[in-house]
């Protein structure tokens, strides 16, 4: 099993953070502007662990050189079933330097936006304290 997938499925926030490059760029499915840096990305991902229920990966797609992965997932957020995909690129040291998430349907994306919006002050505090 891929180390990222194992970390997420085990809800191990420290292991997830350890896989992030210092200069990782996180592109959210519900925010216009990407977030740059390990501290904010790790804090956002901890927030996601708090708001997603019944999370599970259902498919993993990888390129032959192992530097690009797509992890398809399902979860529940705000009572809505959500489908999504984590698109990851790994740098030369095997750390995630680009992390893009896409989700569907729109009603679930809106529920995710609301749930994460409610978390965002805590996310900012966690990122600032990192």
């Amino acid at each position: 099993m891929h180390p990222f997938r194992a970390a997420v499925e085990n809800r191990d926030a420290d292991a997830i953070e350890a896989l992030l490059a210092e200069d990782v760029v996180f592109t959210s499915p519900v925010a216009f502007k990407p977030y740059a840096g390990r501290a904010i990305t790790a804090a956002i991902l901890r927030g996601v662990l708090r708001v997603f229920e019944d999370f599970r990966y259902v498919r993993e797609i990888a390129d032959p050189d192992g530097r690009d992965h797509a992890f398809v997932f399902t979860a529940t957020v705000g009572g809505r079933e959500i489908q999504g995909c984590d698109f990851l690129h790994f740098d030369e040291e095997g750390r995630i330097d680009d992390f893009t998430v896409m989700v569907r349907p729109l009603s679930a994306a809106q529920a995710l936006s609301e749930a994460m919006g409610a978390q965002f002050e805590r996310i900012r505090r966690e990122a600032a304290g990192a």
Side-chain angles (χ1 to χ4, degrees), residues 37-130:
R38 180 187 295 164
I40 189 66
T41 300
I44 290 168
L45 295 175
R46 284 191 299 274
V48 170
L49 290 175
R50 290 189 293 267
V51 303
F52 274 169
E53 300 172 24
D54 306 318
F55 180 92
R56 68 186 184 98
Y57 283 117
V58 296
R59 189 170 177 200
E60 183 177 333
I61 305 162
D63 74 346
D65 75 6
R67 294 195 51 202
D68 288 291
H69 275 70
F71 297 92
V72 181
F73 64 84
T74 62
T76 304
V77 62
R80 301 280 183 175
E81 290 185 25
I82 193 166
Q83 295 176 316
C85 191
D86 294 334
F87 296 97
L88 308 179
H89 181 268
F90 293 82
D91 64 16
E92 297 80 21
E93 284 118 35
R95 290 207 161 83
I96 301 165
D97 61 3
D98 188 67
F99 192 133
T100 299
V101 181
M102 294 186 185
V103 297
R104 65 163 305 281
L106 178 59
S107 60
Q110 290 168 327
L112 177 60
S113 180
E114 290 172 17
M116 290 302 290
Q119 294 276 321
F120 221 77
E121 193 52 45
R122 180 176 177 181
I123 289 168
R124 285 184 199 180
R125 285 193 312 269
E126 287 179 5

